[in-house]
Amino acid sequence: MSFYSSFDVAVVGGGHAGIEASLAAARMGLKTLLITQTVDSIGRMSCNPSIGGIAKGNIVREIDALGGEMGKLIDRTMIQFRLLNRSRGPAVQAPRSQADKLEYSALARHTLETQENLSTLMDTVTDIITVQSSSPLPPESCTAGQDAMRQKVIGIATERGRVIPVRSVVLTTGTFLGGRIFIGEYDAPCGRLGEAGAYGLTESLVHLGFTTGRLKTGTPPRILRHTVDFSHLELQEGDERIIPFSFDDEGVDRQQVPCHTVYTNEETHRIIRENIGRSPLYSGKIHGVGPRYCPSIEDKVMRFPDRERHQIFVEPEGLVTDEIYLNGLSSSLPESVQDSFLRTMTGFERCTVSRPGYAVEYDYVEPTQLYPSLETKRVAGLFNAGQINGTSGYEEAAGQGLVAGINAGYYARAHITLCGPLPSSDDGILSDHGSLEQKTAGCQKGRLRDIPAYEPLVLSRDEAYIGVLIDDLVTLGTKEPYRMFTARAEYRLKLRHDTADRRLREKGYRAGLISGAQMAALTLKYARVDEALHYIERQPSAPNPGTFSEAEWEQAQEDYKYRYYIEKQDERVEKLRRMEGARIPDGFDYGKIVSLSAESRMKLEKIRPVTLGQASRISGIRNSDIMLLMVYLKK
């Protein structure tokens, strides 16, 4: 059998979502293929050279607790660590690290290339090949003139003509799906500066009935460090004590480097205002919606005319590169304008720009078309993760990628049990889509067309920030790039970064991503934490007797300090869990609830919530609607 003949799971895209998805599926024992346009850009940090931050650091620790890779990658490549909000409560504290971006990408690539059951291929996926299944589409997915039966993934087609049979697919296309960059009057079909966008796949998804849209993001210019006078910049050192992101790492021994801060000024703002008509954001060239919480410097200047200055964080990009990153200064103004306004800032009078800032516009798929497992409602076996779902940020992408990879693995495993081996060809290249459909049609007397049942990994809102993220996306959707904040998590006291292993490690173990030895270490750790907690309960003001490690003592202290609030929160969680667990049958007819308003019925039919809990979080759904739904479900 040819190497390219068939795979259990195919992951499209080698960014942070693709890394986690492909590693998860491979470590579950499934034959996995990662397809990326260039292996040289695997794990690339195309924007901020950092991992973690408020809420984001919690996500990274959750990824590690579930058996993902991001925490280990940053522990081995960090060049500065800080625990943010150290002086505030534990619910809003979060770790953040500057990364050596080149080393991070190289390590991520090496990890993929040496992983058992995982292979990489440079190519561009242009089509998702499906057959009609025996399962009907959710009612809200049916449109006039289209078959009401759900489709099922059987393969993928690439730009170079390969047709590869697969059991499940995870799309992690980042900003490359229909990507186009903008710098002043210049624009080009790129997903990143100097890297071609991916075309053809959006058309395939639209043909399958998916609703897509356009979003926009941006990145700052990069400056050569030796051309900046740092003597007038404010120094920002990292923490002396480094807390590893990975629960399996006892410590981090890495060279640490400082960051700095600088400010724009009125001259900076004058140059920007005088050239604002040349910005594609203001000239009408860009139609995609950008993130409100991370505006370009053009937006900052125009929206806040009374502000005399804006703070910029000057961050190193690595130990072996001279480039530095200007966090807070993203721009798509012409290069000559960028050069001019940069040199108005203190210390940057003679700076050299190595890469200009730019905006990028790209396609995304409306995420309400997904189940909480991140499987699409229209096509069985097709999963989406990362910016294709409308999110921004490496951490948000990686968290989705891990969940999608695990569930694609579960789906493929059930598929193997049902249908046995996939078809193959001698050279691994089938002549066309039809030949693949013919080969699959006879498998197990047509049972390949049935959608196998599997129990997906679905994280609840009180279990993980990743659960909040996914629930927000599939229930509420998004019209702008989504970013995780602590304020989005109503149970954030339970979602501290230091408790992620206690909350999630067993789920990773059940998926096959956490070993028995790791579970044994977890049990021992929390026996010690509980022992420390009992000691504190007996002597609240007593210092550490010295028998507990610093981490064990701190965690026990936080548990003691917030125990009353957590108990109250647990009571509320339990009440809501009973509603959350009340499942709504597939294809439930909301039309028979005559007392529902037309607006509520439309929203319920569009989202098709899986549980009462999810239904209650749909924007505009009233408590009275939920009560009516509960009555009908009991009947």
Side-chain angles (χ1 to χ4, degrees), residues 14-257:
H16 302 279
I19 290 168
E20 299 295 347
S22 56
L23 286 174
R27 288 167 178 172
M28 291 170 72
L30 296 157
K31 187 180 178 185
T32 305
L33 175 66
L34 173 68
I35 303 180
T36 178
Q37 293 190 133
T38 169
V39 295
D40 295 328
S41 62
I42 286 174
R44 181 164 291 172
M45 292 180 164
S46 53
C47 200
N48 198 339
S50 70
I51 295 293
I54 303 301
K56 293 169 172 281
N58 303 55
I59 291 176
V60 180
R61 301 213 86 195
E62 290 173 355
I63 290 168
D64 184 77
L66 286 166
E69 196 68 18
M70 180 172 268
K72 293 179 174 59
L73 291 174
I74 185 59
D75 281 353
R76 286 152 181 76
T77 60
M78 72 169 63
I79 54 177
Q80 190 194 84
F81 175 86
R82 294 179 67 204
L83 182 65
L84 305 184
N85 289 337
R86 185 181 289 275
S87 62
R88 300 179 62 187
V92 293
Q93 291 179 356
R96 182 183 187 271
S97 285
Q98 294 298 133
D100 186 317
K101 60 183 288 185
L102 299 178
E103 190 177 0
Y104 187 100
S105 178
L107 181 59
R109 176 179 175 180
H110 177 75
T111 303
L112 293 172
E113 291 178 337
T114 56
Q115 173 62 48
E116 187 179 0
N117 300 320
L118 177 59
S119 301
T120 58
L121 172 66
M122 276 183 60
D123 207 341
T124 300
V125 173
T126 56
D127 201 3
I128 305 296
I129 308 170
T130 65
V131 293
Q132 183 175 291
S133 77
S134 61
S135 175
L137 273 172
E140 86 284 358
S141 297
C142 299
T143 55
Q146 288 188 325
D147 199 314
M149 302 306 293
R150 196 181 186 202
Q151 295 291 302
K152 174 185 176 66
V153 164
I154 59 170
I156 51 177
T158 74
E159 188 175 66
R160 295 202 301 270
R162 291 190 180 277
V163 176
I164 305 172
V166 296
R167 303 183 194 277
S168 62
V169 175
V170 184
L171 298 181
T172 67
T173 49
T175 61
F176 287 82
L177 193 63
R180 193 165 199 88
I181 67 164
F182 298 85
I183 309 172
E185 294 83 7
Y186 171 83
D187 64 88
C190 300
R192 281 192 289 251
L193 185 64
E195 296 182 48
Y199 305 96
L201 186 55
T202 299
E203 290 74 13
S204 176
L205 293 171
V206 170
H207 178 73
L208 288 168
F210 289 100
T211 299
T212 64
R214 297 284 279 178
L215 292 177
K216 168 259 172 189
T217 189
T219 191
R222 268 60 166 188
I223 312 298
L224 293 183
R225 181 184 181 90
H226 76 273
T227 65
V228 175
D229 181 1
F230 284 88
S231 64
H232 299 293
L233 275 60
E234 297 178 14
L235 185 66
Q236 190 179 61
E237 296 279 9
D239 294 350
E240 288 188 14
R241 180 192 171 200
I242 298 175
I243 302 173
F245 279 87
S246 176
F247 291 98
D248 298 314
D249 290 338
E250 294 183 0
V252 173
D253 183 15
R254 293 274 305 170
Q255 179 182 344
Q256 303 289 293
V257 297

Side-chain angles (χ1 to χ4, degrees), residues 563-577:
R563 67 193 186 286
Y564 172 79
Y565 302 100
I566 292 175
E567 286 172 2
K568 291 298 181 184
Q569 199 170 79
D570 284 342
E571 291 175 7
R572 185 182 173 204
V573 167
E574 186 54 38
K575 290 179 182 178
L576 291 176
R577 194 185 296 280

